[in-house]
Amino acid sequence: MSASESAAKSKFVLRTNQIQALIDFLRERGYRTAGPTIRDCAVIYDEINNAEQIPLGVADEQEAGFYRVKKRKEAGYFSYVVGAHSWKKFLNPPRFTLWKAKMDNGEMSLVVDEPQAVPHYAFIGVRPCEIAAIAVQDRVYLDGPYVDNLYKERRSAIAIIAVNCAHPGGTCFCVSMDTGPEAKSGFDLALTEIQETNRHLFVATTGSDLGVEIAKALKLEPATPDDIADEAATIKRAAGKMGRKIDTSHINELLQRNEDHPRWNHVGDRCLNCANCTMVCPTCFCMTVEDTTDITGKTAERSRRWDSCFTIEFSHIHGGAVRTSASARYRHWMTHKLASWQDQFGVSGCVGCGRCITWCPVGIDITEEAAAIRASSRGE
Amino acid sequence: MKTTVAGPMVPTMARVNRVRKETHDTFTLELHPAYGQEIHHFAAGQFNMLYVFGFGEVAISISGDPTNPKPLIHTTRAVGNVTKAMAKLKTGDMIGVRGPFGSAWPVKHAEGDDVVLVAGGIGLAPLRPVIYEILANRRKYGKLILLYGTRTPSDILYRKELESWRSRLDMEVYVTVDRSSVNWQGNVGVVTTLIPKAGFDPQQTTAMICGPEIMMRYVALELQKRGVPMSSVFASMERNMKCGIGLCGHCQMGPTFICKDGPVYPYDKIRELLLKREI
Ligand SMILES: Cc1cc2nc3c(=O)[nH]c(=O)nc-3n(C[C@H](O)[C@H](O)[C@H](O)COP(=O)(O)OP(=O)(O)OC[C@H]3O[C@@H](n4cnc5c(N)ncnc54)[C@H](O)[C@@H]3O)c2cc1C
Ligand code: SF4
Ligand code: SF4
Ligand code: FES
């Protein structure tokens, strides 16, 4: 066991009045701190430097096509789950310039801009399913024959302060996907909020050297057996409160075998092809490139931006798009998430965060679609 | 830490050394790297991403000789935004090149076999490197047969080369067109009709197919009828490509990424996918 691993998994207590100290410590370490905050009546992720920006006393309600945040007296710091944002916007910015070139008297050359500093982020409040999502994107961007440097630079610079879920949402199904509600690895420090009458604290589990340093710097007291028992009980309760579930047994074979199941037309008739599900999904990685020239026509710029398999252009080839029908596009997306991702990256492309269900304007539910196909599956 | 530009997404600059008009809508570019950069070795079947200043980037197969990769040769059909802009390039103009990417034709694996190449339209361009490579090592192979189909006689690519290949005693060339014209005296009909004309040993054959999906399906079927095991048949696939390196997601066909698992696949691997609608 390495020093870092043996140091891992020690449990401490972080007091609610120490959140600011945690933020300050990370900022002094050179991190830009990002975490949940409220904007436009929703929990989003943004840069925060003040503990008060974390939405204390707020809970959320999520259902298919439905999202509300509500003030609740008994709510703690993290009594809601994930919103429309995910950390991927920091690790793979929605739009990014790849390079510029200039054309001078028929000579084309790259324009080398001043290198920009890569932001080091400390993410505060990363949910277990989101840690799993980052691990999924790692496989996509870092394990292939080609490495995405843009992602790699950002990814290798982050710190992760995880928050285990005590109050799963109506569209959560991390238990089915085996990604939550407790983070098992992949964090520097993981917090579990314990909230009872007259007792409000976090059990903090160290997951790396940085986590241990935080515990030292903030002089965290070791957690007592009672604290640890309360933490376990909180997580167990959460696991029993999943809003959704999905049967994943042989799901890869199931979906790939049922590519002509009538359910695809059923969902194709409802889907608006708005691409919301792909934008909010923390694992969706598809991108496109855009070329622009300046007004003189002498400088060209190539950028990449998030793309979605729900657009018709996505599969455009000379002679027309490959996936013209809405049903084929939904089938491609869902089969990719739950099935073919396993062939490609050895892991499910869905971590059970529920975002695609909540943010679908017509309330299409991936768990319901998978269940419908299973219920009348073709062949064995 | 500093941002480096995203390595494999950045093109190498190359200069157009020569432009050859092949047909009314296809042209061949000979490229030399500018600024003293090296041309990478490539394997027959691989492609480059070619960037036309301000217009964008497209996947184009390398159609030159792998045993002699300088200059870099690409044959392109002008069909849309980028390829039409590319068609306007002249000698001395510059272009961006990234690659080579993707899988290769099984040229080594085919040693000792009869080799049957079946091309439809622009599909001859990605197969031409195979012909060059086999002709350079001619003794290692059995028969070399090219079956080529185009829409009309005026769409026939590499006419002069086809004639010189046809005049060789160690290569058979059959050409057919979908629609004849006044002075066409050759075959008329789809490319599958050429298969019975060619003499090869089905048990000892490697077949490589490149053309529209529907054509490749029928060709594979016909080869199967002749007794060629599907494990000896290879096909090159095409999808929208934005990166060429497995990161943009556009080229997916079922569980595979054509840019990194393909474009050349053993037919066994894609046979079922080719039967699926809008996959
Ligand atoms: C592996 C591979 C090898 C190829 N080799 C050749 C070749 O040797 N010669 C040749 O003429 N053509 C080849 N093509 C097809 C060529 O890439 C397209 O004709 C070209 O992208 C069309 O772009 P456009 O901008 O001119 O057309 P538009 O229709 O305006 O295309 C707009 C965008 O759609 C995408 N797109 C459109 N058609 C295709 C297509 N058929 N395949 C992939 N992406 C497409 C491109 O990303 C393009 O930027 C190959 C394609 C692939 C995937
Ligand atoms: S598919 Fe839906 S539930 Fe699964 S990870 Fe993506 S957004 Fe979350
Ligand atoms: S499933 Fe819902 S969110 Fe996704 S594209 Fe269709 S309508 Fe939009
Ligand atoms: S072309 Fe981008 S993943 Fe294949």
Side-chain angles (χ1 to χ4, degrees):
Chain A
M1 206 189 270
S2 73
S4 165
E5 272 174 81
S6 61
K9 304 285 178 189
S10 305
K11 292 196 184 279
F12 297 89
V13 168
L14 181 100
R15 304 279 161 200
T16 51
N17 62 10
Q18 286 179 301
I19 298 177
Q20 189 62 50
L22 172 64
I23 295 174
D24 293 343
F25 174 86
L26 292 165
R27 292 176 66 81
E28 275 157 30
R29 273 308 183 83
Y31 288 107
R32 282 156 76 169
T33 41
T37 187
I38 296 269
R39 194 194 298 154
D40 299 334
C41 307
V43 174
I44 56 127
Y45 294 148
D46 204 349
E47 290 201 21
I48 57 169
N49 45 38
N50 195 319
E52 282 171 17
Q53 290 169 280
I54 298 176
L56 175 63
V58 163
D60 61 2
E61 239 176 82
Q62 302 201 31
E63 258 313 316
F66 182 89
Y67 180 90
R68 292 281 182 285
V69 291
K70 289 212 279 203
K71 287 235 174 275
R72 280 229 320 261
K73 244 214 250 89
E74 69 281 14
Y77 283 90
F78 297 101
S79 301
Y80 42 86
V81 283
V82 296
H85 285 203
S86 71
W87 306 100
K88 78 175 179 182
K89 70 171 183 172
F90 295 103
L91 296 172
N92 172 18
R95 192 189 164 85
F96 199 86
T97 302
L98 286 168
W99 48 264
K100 289 181 197 159
K102 65 175 195 292
M103 187 66 99
D104 238 345
N105 273 328
E107 293 293 305
M108 175 161 61
S109 56
L110 288 176
V111 179
V112 183
D113 279 342
E114 269 295 293
Q116 284 173 2
V118 171
H120 292 219
Y121 277 108
F123 299 155
I124 300 172
V126 183
R127 303 308 175 118
C129 65
E130 300 186 295
I131 292 180
I134 293 171
V136 169
Q137 289 217 321
D138 283 352
R139 291 188 185 224
V140 175
Y141 290 126
L142 306 178
D143 290 358
Y146 292 91
V147 168
D148 185 348
N149 293 332
L150 173 76
Y151 179 84
K152 187 182 175 186
E153 289 170 337
R154 281 161 183 70
R155 172 70 176 96
S156 56
I158 61 169
I160 293 185
I161 310 299
V163 166
N164 293 321
C165 290
H167 306 282
T171 57
C172 289
F173 56 105
C174 61
V175 166
S176 301
M177 302 317 291
D178 199 20
T179 59
E182 181 186 17
K184 300 268 163 55
S185 62
F187 54 81
D188 293 292
L189 195 69
L191 307 177
T192 308
E193 191 166 12
I194 309 285
Q195 225 184 336
E196 296 159 356
T197 349
N198 303 327
R199 185 157 168 261
H200 191 183
L201 53 82
F202 296 94
V203 173
T205 307
T206 54
S208 73
D209 292 343
L210 178 68
V212 174
E213 285 175 50
I214 294 171
K216 274 194 196 135
L218 271 58
K219 302 198 171 63
L220 301 186
E221 300 153 26
T224 65
D226 272 357
D227 297 331
I228 294 171
D230 285 347
E231 180 191 39
T234 302
I235 289 165
K236 192 166 172 216
R237 254 194 324 273
K241 289 196 295 195
M242 289 292 128
R244 291 284 193 281
K245 62 175 189 303
I246 192 168
D247 177 357
T248 59
S249 55
H250 307 290
I251 196 155
N252 190 357
E253 299 74 22
L254 176 80
L255 295 182
Q256 296 203 43
R257 183 173 73 230
N258 281 285
E259 94 284 346
D260 56 0
H261 195 286
R263 184 73 186 188
W264 299 121
N265 288 332
H266 191 277
V267 66
D269 286 344
R270 286 171 283 142
C271 175
L272 311 174
N273 286 268
C274 67
N276 269 11
C277 48
T278 48
M279 295 296 113
V280 296
C281 179
T283 67
C284 273
F285 62 88
C286 287
M287 60 175 132
T288 188
V289 286
E290 279 175 351
D291 296 280
T292 49
T293 40
D294 69 0
I295 201 143
T296 67
K298 284 187 172 167
T299 311
E301 186 175 314
R302 178 152 254 249
S303 13
R304 71 190 226 184
R305 66 162 174 78
W306 291 0
D307 200 7
S308 169
C309 58
F310 280 95
T311 70
I312 193 98
E313 303 80 42
F314 188 87
S315 65
H316 172 87
I317 57 173
H318 173 60
V322 173
R323 289 181 283 275
T324 50
S325 67
S327 62
R329 278 175 265 160
Y330 189 87
R331 178 185 70 183
H332 171 77
W333 177 73
M334 187 173 124
T335 307
H336 190 212
K337 293 274 103 167
L338 293 170
S340 51
W341 207 292
Q342 297 179 31
D343 297 306
Q344 296 170 351
F345 302 107
V347 59
S348 171
C350 174
V351 298
C353 73
R355 285 179 177 90
C356 58
I357 307 172
T358 299
W359 297 97
C360 176
V362 292
I364 292 170
D365 178 343
I366 189 171
T367 65
E368 195 182 312
E369 297 309 315
I373 286 176
R374 191 180 290 280
S376 52
S377 157
R378 196 187 73 163
E380 257 316 298
Chain B
M1 208 193 293
K2 298 288 181 188
T3 305
T4 57
V5 250
M9 288 297 279
V10 183
T12 298
M13 300 302 165
R15 199 178 299 280
V16 178
N17 209 36
R18 187 162 164 191
V19 184
R20 191 176 313 135
K21 196 166 160 58
E22 302 285 358
T23 70
H24 63 103
D25 63 354
T26 49
F27 56 96
T28 298
L29 299 181
E30 279 187 23
L31 307 175
H32 275 288
Y35 315 129
Q37 279 154 310
E38 277 295 305
I39 287 191
H40 298 291
H41 280 272
F42 71 95
Q46 289 194 297
F47 64 94
N48 277 321
M49 299 296 290
L50 299 184
Y51 169 76
V52 183
F53 186 82
F55 283 91
E57 200 181 50
V58 288
I60 304 290
S61 303
I62 307 171
S63 59
D65 183 353
T67 62
N68 182 21
K70 287 176 204 173
L72 191 55
I73 296 180
H74 287 282
T75 300
T76 305
R77 183 162 164 231
V79 294
N81 193 22
V82 180
T83 49
K84 282 181 180 161
M86 197 187 293
K88 298 204 175 99
L89 295 178
K90 293 183 288 297
T91 305
D93 285 348
M94 292 184 75
I95 192 166
V97 181
R98 293 195 291 127
F101 300 127
S103 63
W105 294 111
V107 181
K108 266 261 167 286
H109 161 103
E111 284 180 9
D113 282 2
D114 290 345
V115 177
V116 178
L117 308 177
V118 192
I122 187 78
L124 181 56
L127 280 170
R128 190 166 70 165
V130 178
I131 301 174
Y132 290 142
E133 200 170 335
I134 290 180
L135 291 179
N137 300 282
R138 188 62 192 90
R139 286 214 198 111
K140 293 187 179 163
Y141 298 86
K143 291 187 168 170
L144 173 59
I145 299 165
L146 170 65
L147 311 177
Y148 180 38
T150 66
R151 279 170 303 167
T152 71
S154 65
D155 292 311
I156 295 171
L157 275 183
Y158 310 140
R159 240 171 210 276
K160 279 228 173 80
E161 239 174 343
L162 282 170
E163 279 162 19
S164 80
W165 289 332
R166 191 177 351 222
S167 65
R168 293 178 68 119
L169 297 176
D170 58 358
M171 180 170 177
E172 290 173 44
V173 177
Y174 300 90
V175 181
T176 183
V177 298
D178 295 345
R179 272 181 292 117
S180 176
S181 65
V182 195
N183 38 23
W184 175 251
Q185 286 168 350
N187 301 299
V188 179
V190 290
V191 74
T192 41
T193 59
L194 298 177
I195 293 172
K197 294 188 199 284
F200 53 89
D201 175 2
Q203 291 302 317
Q204 278 294 314
T205 288
T206 299
M208 309 181 204
I209 324 173
C210 189
E213 280 185 27
I214 178 101
M215 164 263 185
M216 297 200 285
R217 260 171 53 197
Y218 280 108
V219 168
L221 215 58
E222 206 57 42
L223 290 169
Q224 192 175 24
K225 279 193 206 148
R226 269 289 290 273
V228 180
M230 285 299 101
S231 56
S232 303
V233 176
F234 297 79
S236 182
M237 296 301 302
E238 188 178 324
R239 280 288 185 279
N240 187 304
M241 290 192 178
K242 296 297 182 196
C243 73
I245 55 175
L247 298 176
C248 78
H250 279 254
C251 69
Q252 287 175 83
M253 179 180 62
T256 80
F257 286 92
I258 289 179
C259 70
K260 59 177 187 185
D261 306 320
V264 176
Y265 291 89
Y267 196 73
D268 282 347
K269 285 256 163 68
I270 50 163
R271 183 192 199 161
E272 288 202 3
L273 290 173
L274 281 173
L275 296 174
K276 294 182 180 180
R277 225 175 14 90
E278 297 187 66
I279 200 79

